[in-house]
Amino acid sequence: MLNAADVTFAETLTNAMPDLSVGPAEPRYLEEPRGRFRGQGGLLVRPASTDQVAGVLRLCNAASVGVVPYGGGTGLVGGQVIEDGPAPVILSLEKMTAVRSIDPHVMVVEAGATLADVQAAAEGVDRLFPLTIASQGSARIGGCLATNAGGVNVLRYGNARELCLGVEAVLADGTVISGLKRLRKDNTGYDIKDLLIGAEGTLGVITAASLRLFPRPAAIGTAMMVVPDPQAALDLLALAEARMPGCVSAFELIARQGLAFLEAVGPAVQQPFAPLPAWMVLIEIGLPVGLNPEQCLTDLFEAAGALVQDGVIAQSLAQRAQMWALRESIPEANKRIGSISSHDISVPLECLPAFIDEGYRRLAALGDMRVNCFGHVGDGNLHYNAFPAEGRERAAYEPIREEIKSTIHELVHEMGGSVSAEHGVGRLKVGDLERFGDAGKMDAMRAIKAALDPKGIMNPGAVLR
């Protein structure tokens, strides 16, 4: 139900743009996947063009009405919902899904297209758009860029920022930036594109993007290998990259605790090893014509010596899918168990084994709990999550929940890492950014925000407060 102010502003919008879709926000636009934040009701606006986006922002800016840019709603740090203060306008680009152009090198696509649709469009011209995340069926490319999404292929191809050549965007006052150049080299001043990517909708709204496309690997190989510890995993990664330069696409670390959670609560997936190993890695390679992936992985296994204790190589697409299903089911198992505190962190690769061990030690000093450590070890990004000890309820840990988070984030900071590796800051980690962020950088960020959004209408409360 809209209040009187919402109804009046809805009339203002539709009087200016009669074809604009305006209505009350449905419940799904007020939720986020982990249930930590619950948004307020208000106007849902669904523009169908960049001109309409510009018109909406121009009117919101004039009226000092907050705007929450909304992608697929898959963000995990509360960047897409506002709990407090005046109800905002929720700006969804779900009607802007067109692929404006595509060739073997670059695709120009509107921000409302889902990541899966972008991948399919690239496949249609026998090319690869390599950004891959668990929510790619619902995550929209504008949201992926706004959060600088990572995923499993960052090791080889980079995160969202590195996959984008240009953006079209609308600033808070309705100014349109037409930056859809398809250039690898363009040194004509400040890179506004890279400023908007990762800004989580706090500086403007990305409406379209020029995305890099890549040749599809001629052959793909996938394997799971048991390693004695995280240091062995890193040594195995170095060996794989030395033997197959530029061909290692993904390298995921999986701990026994995650496998045990899958056995206990599902989802039901095939476990490749019994008994459950303490540590294993999922490795995927993409090779050019003339190389056999199964042979390359077999040779790696043999060359690894004591670094690898057991292994299985996918012999079919179905087996490859089973391996990835195991990896991608771990977050759902975590959700079913129910974490006390979840941490999306990154540390320099050489610090990763020490971080894992010291993290275990510091959490054990706080109380009896289980830790599931897994993630994109190839780029130093771990999901290091604390869970109740078996038989105990999460509520028992509520008095120390913040201390658990602080303990892990302090350790990350000590080791020169980041308390937000790929999920962003949103509203969940604003305090962490203030605590651990470089003072000079924070001042610069506030100055940029003040210059581009002086009234503070763009995603208020996210990233900066």
Side-chain angles (χ1 to χ4, degrees):
M1 180 71 66
L2 298 178
N3 60 34
D6 289 333
V7 171
T8 299
F9 194 64
E11 292 173 350
T12 298
L13 291 170
T14 53
N15 286 338
M17 292 166 284
D19 295 333
L20 180 67
S21 173
V22 181
E26 301 164 24
R28 68 186 179 94
Y29 295 95
L30 308 176
E31 302 168 349
E32 52 87 32
R34 290 180 177 171
R36 295 179 177 179
F37 298 87
R38 177 71 185 179
Q40 306 174 74
L43 289 179
L44 171 67
V45 177
R46 297 184 295 169
S49 68
T50 301
D51 285 345
Q52 285 192 342
V53 174
V56 170
L57 291 187
R58 193 175 299 114
L59 291 170
C60 287
N61 192 59
S64 297
V65 173
V67 178
V68 176
Y70 192 93
T74 61
L76 299 177
V77 290
Q80 68 273 52
V81 291
I82 290 182
E83 290 186 303
D84 303 316
V89 166
I90 299 171
L91 181 69
S92 170
L93 298 192
E94 63 196 86
K95 288 191 170 186
M96 296 179 60
T97 62
V99 176
R100 296 183 183 176
S101 66
I102 187 168
D103 62 44
H105 306 288
V106 183
M107 176 193 312
V108 178
V109 63
E110 292 181 340
T114 67
L115 179 52
D117 288 341
V118 171
Q119 293 168 338
E123 187 174 353
V125 293
D126 196 29
R127 283 296 185 267
L128 174 70
F129 183 68
L131 183 62
T132 302
I133 57 178
S135 58
Q136 58 200 34
S138 50
R140 300 183 187 277
I141 197 66
C144 290
L145 291 169
T147 57
N148 192 25
V152 299
N153 289 329
V154 170
L155 178 62
R156 180 170 183 175
Y157 296 102
N159 54 18
R161 177 176 280 113
E162 293 167 275
L163 300 175
C164 182
L165 296 176
V167 298
E168 174 188 85
V170 183
L171 301 183
D173 65 356
T175 298
V176 176
I177 295 177
S178 301
L180 290 174
K181 292 184 177 180
R182 296 174 291 172
L183 305 173
R184 292 290 299 277
K185 293 182 176 180
D186 180 10
N187 287 331
T188 53
Y190 302 149
D191 195 332
I192 304 300
K193 162 184 67 70
D194 276 357
L195 185 60
L196 293 169
I197 295 174
E200 301 185 44
T202 61
L203 300 178
V205 178
I206 295 172
T207 53
S210 302
L211 304 175
R212 295 176 60 193
L213 303 181
F214 296 80
R216 301 179 66 80
I220 294 174
T222 310
M224 284 181 161
M225 297 185 183
V226 176
V227 294
D229 51 45
Q231 183 60 59
L234 286 185
D235 293 343
L236 178 62
L237 172 61
L239 179 65
E241 291 182 318
R243 295 180 66 89
M244 297 171 284
C247 294
V248 181
S249 301
F251 197 86
E252 300 286 301
L253 182 69
I254 300 171
R256 178 189 288 138
Q257 190 63 75
L259 303 176
F261 283 171
L262 286 169
E263 281 199 340
V265 299
V269 291
Q270 184 173 335
Q271 298 270 11
F273 305 108
L276 300 181
W279 297 99
M280 68 179 188
V281 297
L282 170 60
I283 180 172
E284 184 155 284
I285 57 174
L287 300 175
V289 174
L291 293 179
N292 183 296
E294 293 176 23
Q295 187 61 54
C296 287
L297 289 170
T298 299
D299 292 345
L300 175 64
F301 184 95
E302 294 174 351
L307 296 177
V308 176
Q309 299 168 325
D310 199 356
V312 58
I313 299 171
Q315 302 296 309
S316 65
L317 290 176
Q319 288 184 357
R320 177 193 178 214
Q322 287 175 350
M323 292 180 180
W324 278 108
L326 184 151
R327 164 60 182 87
E328 298 295 359
S329 295
I330 291 174
E332 176 59 27
N334 286 348
K335 184 177 180 180
R336 295 179 184 183
I337 294 289
S339 71
I340 308 165
S341 184
S342 299
H343 315 106
D344 162 49
I345 61 91
S346 61
V347 294
L349 284 183
E350 67 272 15
C351 298
L352 191 141
F355 169 82
I356 292 172
D357 289 344
E358 181 64 11
Y360 285 159
R361 189 190 69 78
R362 294 191 187 187
L363 290 185
L366 296 178
D368 185 17
M369 65 190 80
R370 293 172 290 180
V371 175
N372 186 15
C373 169
F374 68 103
H376 320 304
V377 67
D379 54 47
N381 176 196
L382 288 177
H383 303 297
Y384 198 85
N385 302 340
F387 296 82
E390 192 166 2
R392 298 189 66 188
E393 298 295 327
R394 274 193 297 173
Y397 297 84
E398 186 60 30
I400 62 169
R401 185 174 63 84
E402 282 300 317
E403 189 175 3
I404 290 171
K405 184 182 80 165
S406 295
T407 295
I408 294 304
H409 285 180
E410 285 171 1
L411 179 59
V412 169
H413 186 64
E414 288 172 20
M415 293 189 170
S418 170
V419 298
S420 177
E422 66 176 358
H423 292 164
V425 175
R427 291 172 177 81
L428 180 65
K429 295 185 178 181
V430 171
D432 295 303
L433 182 60
E434 292 173 344
R435 179 178 179 184
F436 297 110
D438 175 76
K441 175 182 176 180
M442 295 301 297
D443 286 344
M445 287 174 59
R446 293 186 182 101
I448 293 167
K449 172 73 170 174
L452 296 184
D453 181 21
K455 292 188 176 182
I457 70 163
M458 298 306 307
N459 212 1
V463 185
L464 297 171
R465 59 184 172 189

